Amino acid sequence: MPIGDVLPEISLTLGAVAIVLFASFVRQRQHHWAAVLALLAIGLGAGLTVAQWGGTPRLTFSGVWALDGVALASKLVVLIAGALVVAMSPEWMRTDRRHGEYYALVLFALLGVIMMASASDTMELVLGVLLSSVASYPLAAYHRGWAPALEAGMKYFLIGALTNTLLTIGVVVLFGLTGSTGYPDIAQALATDSDRLALTIATACVVLGLTFKLAAFPAHAWMPDVAQGSPVPAAAFLTVIPKIGAAVALARFVSLLPPDVAWRAIVASISVATMTLGNVAALRQTDVRRLLGWSSVSQSGYALMAIVVLGVSDQALPALVFFLASYATANLAAFAVVTHLRGRTALDDYRGLARHAPIAATILIVSLLSLVGIPPLVGFFGKLMLFRVTLEGGYAWLALVAVINTVVSLFYYLRIVAPMMFGSRQSAVHVLSGQWARSAMAVAGVLLIVGGLGAEALSLFTGSIRFAL
């Protein structure tokens, strides 16, 4: 048990425990220092992750934990995104009596997401999904005195209970077929003759189970409610970070399956349904946070395109990781602006914003254009890599569907941009007092610009990542 291989995860665990103890013994007005502790734990975890970079890709802890380029890259994206979420939170949570405990939940949820991305064993995967879910349910309903928050939390919990059950059933069936839970042993057992009907059922259950964390069809219905009803920093977390771990976990799982199992057709169908449903539903939204929730659903459909062509295109994994990083940056920047504006959600609240709050309006516009995929923003390069690997993999029809959906998405993003630029505002702009939310918004905006300018370097950085298996 080489403890050094999981030092980043240990730092998050110890940080969460320290925050719980700290919040138990200090006054509420000092709970904002828990955010500092969370940032220190995340920073330490990121530093330890960087220190692991460059080593030989391998499986550790008896093969249940992956230390490869995909796991490390996704871990870095998750930790940076988590730091931005923490930075958005202190002013928003200032008056909540459970302010300090909030950061412990964030760290535990981050740990669950990292476990999903690094799992090389089906039981480890289940553990990561459950840890992420259990820590995320309270985040969704943290404002328990507000009816939309309770509805969001209940819907999130019920869908999670169903899909986590399906995931566990799939893992049990897979164990019955192969006699093992480790990915290398499963891949070796499936290479020989096995019951293909049972394997297809197991595959479908596992894929459907992971669609919950991805917010992909058919387990997507919680996303718009959570985006609207959760605390805005928690909504930023739940719309972005879990799907990074789930996408990598799904890619790692399907890479085990023999070619005669119809997993590509299953994932491609889910991809089309997810991006189409998300974009069509977003067209009718008049609430900005709910619109961003449906947009997040559609983005999951795009991410699944890279998984469809795994094993066919050599750049499928780099494209997946790059797209997830670009999406996370843009979506977090958009929610950082919403947080800065005290969670204002009606489209009318954004009318004339470019004149009264030009910096916030600029960051929001840039983030929305990046989500569309407008050059030279980082989102453009993320989608370009997706389209390229999809075409290389022989799925031109899927790339065409994605292009059509991208054009459709432009319309509802412009429904936010146009009033900001050309509308007139009747009331003053009210923002959160303090520097935390403003700084998080500024950092997210800078990351958007830097990501676009350094897209070539980032693509080279991710271009050689592979699974250890």
Side-chain angles (χ1 to χ4, degrees), residues 88-149:
M88 293 179 203
S89 304
E91 284 102 4
W92 186 277
M93 305 297 296
R94 182 186 295 125
T95 59
D96 196 299
R97 293 181 59 85
R98 301 158 298 144
H99 183 180
E101 292 89 337
Y102 165 85
Y103 302 103
L105 287 172
V106 169
L107 291 187
F108 281 127
L110 285 175
L111 181 60
V113 172
I114 290 172
M115 291 180 69
M116 284 193 286
S118 303
S120 185
D121 183 277
T122 54
M123 297 307 296
E124 192 80 13
L125 172 61
V126 171
L127 183 60
V129 171
L130 293 179
L131 177 58
S132 173
S133 299
V134 168
S136 297
Y137 296 148
L139 291 176
Y142 218 74
H143 292 331
R144 56 188 178 186
W146 190 38

Side-chain angles (χ1 to χ4, degrees), residues 350-370:
Y350 292 80
R351 190 175 298 277
L353 189 66
R355 295 174 188 158
H356 295 82
I359 295 177
T362 300
I363 293 174
L364 182 55
I365 290 171
V366 171
S367 66
L368 295 177
L369 294 180
S370 181

Side-chain angles (χ1 to χ4, degrees), residues 19-365:
I19 288 171
V20 171
L21 295 175
F22 173 81
S24 300
F25 292 100
V26 301
R27 296 180 182 276
Q28 181 186 340
R29 65 173 178 268
Q30 296 175 319
H31 278 194
H32 65 278
W33 288 106
V36 177
L37 293 176
L39 289 176
L40 288 175
I42 292 173
L44 179 60
L48 292 170
T49 300
V50 172
Q52 293 175 335
W53 196 273
T56 303
R58 68 188 190 280
L59 301 181
T60 184
F61 280 87
S62 301
V64 306
W65 192 260
L67 276 179
D68 51 27
V70 181
L72 295 177
S74 58
K75 193 185 304 184
L76 282 175
V77 174
V78 166
L79 291 173
I80 293 171
L84 284 174
V85 169
V86 170
M88 293 179 203
S89 304
E91 284 102 4
W92 186 277
M93 305 297 296
R94 182 186 295 125
T95 59
D96 196 299
R97 293 181 59 85
R98 301 158 298 144
H99 183 180
E101 292 89 337
Y102 165 85
Y103 302 103
L105 287 172
V106 169
L107 291 187
F108 281 127
L110 285 175
L111 181 60
V113 172
I114 290 172
M115 291 180 69
M116 284 193 286
S118 303
S120 185
D121 183 277
T122 54
M123 297 307 296
E124 192 80 13
L125 172 61
V126 171
L127 183 60
V129 171
L130 293 179
L131 177 58
S132 173
S133 299
V134 168
S136 297
Y137 296 148
L139 291 176
Y142 218 74
H143 292 331
R144 56 188 178 186
W146 190 38
L150 291 178
E151 181 183 356
M154 183 58 68
K155 185 175 289 187
Y156 190 33
F157 171 74
L158 291 176
I159 296 176
L162 174 61
T163 54
N164 289 343
T165 301
L166 286 175
L167 173 64
T168 306
I169 290 173
V171 167
V172 170
V173 173
L174 198 60
F175 177 76
L177 285 173
T178 63
S180 176
T181 59
Y183 284 4
D185 294 334
I186 290 175
Q188 184 177 1
L190 294 180
T192 61
D193 292 335
S194 59
D195 188 336
R196 286 305 188 245
L197 176 59
L199 178 56
T200 301
I201 294 173
T203 301
C205 287
V206 173
V207 171
L208 289 175
L210 290 174
T211 58
F212 165 62
K213 307 304 292 186
L214 274 166
F217 178 87
H220 65 282
W222 60 269
M223 176 60 81
D225 294 88
V226 167
Q228 182 184 23
S230 302
V232 178
F237 182 100
L238 296 172
T239 57
V240 172
I241 296 177
K243 67 177 57 184
I244 298 173
V248 175
L250 179 58
R252 201 181 291 276
F253 172 75
V254 297
S255 65
L256 310 174
L257 302 175
D260 59 336
V261 177
W263 65 266
R264 295 186 196 276
I266 295 173
V267 177
S269 301
I270 293 174
S271 173
V272 171
T274 301
M275 70 176 75
T276 304
L277 179 62
N279 285 321
V280 171
L283 287 172
R284 304 180 58 186
Q285 303 305 314
T286 58
D287 184 284
V288 172
R289 287 169 63 180
R290 197 168 183 86
L291 185 150
L292 290 174
W294 281 113
S295 165
S296 182
V297 172
S298 71
Q299 300 293 333
S300 298
Y302 298 124
L304 289 171
M305 293 166 57
I307 298 177
V308 172
V309 295
L310 277 176
V312 181
S313 173
D314 292 338
Q315 292 299 305
L317 275 177
L320 175 64
V321 174
F322 190 96
F323 173 77
L324 291 172
S326 64
Y327 161 70
T329 305
N331 212 56
L332 288 173
F335 273 101
V337 174
V338 177
T339 303
H340 178 65
L341 298 176
R342 293 187 176 183
R344 304 293 181 185
T345 58
L347 283 175
D348 289 341
D349 293 330
Y350 292 80
R351 190 175 298 277
L353 189 66
R355 295 174 188 158
H356 295 82
I359 295 177
T362 300
I363 293 174
L364 182 55
I365 290 171

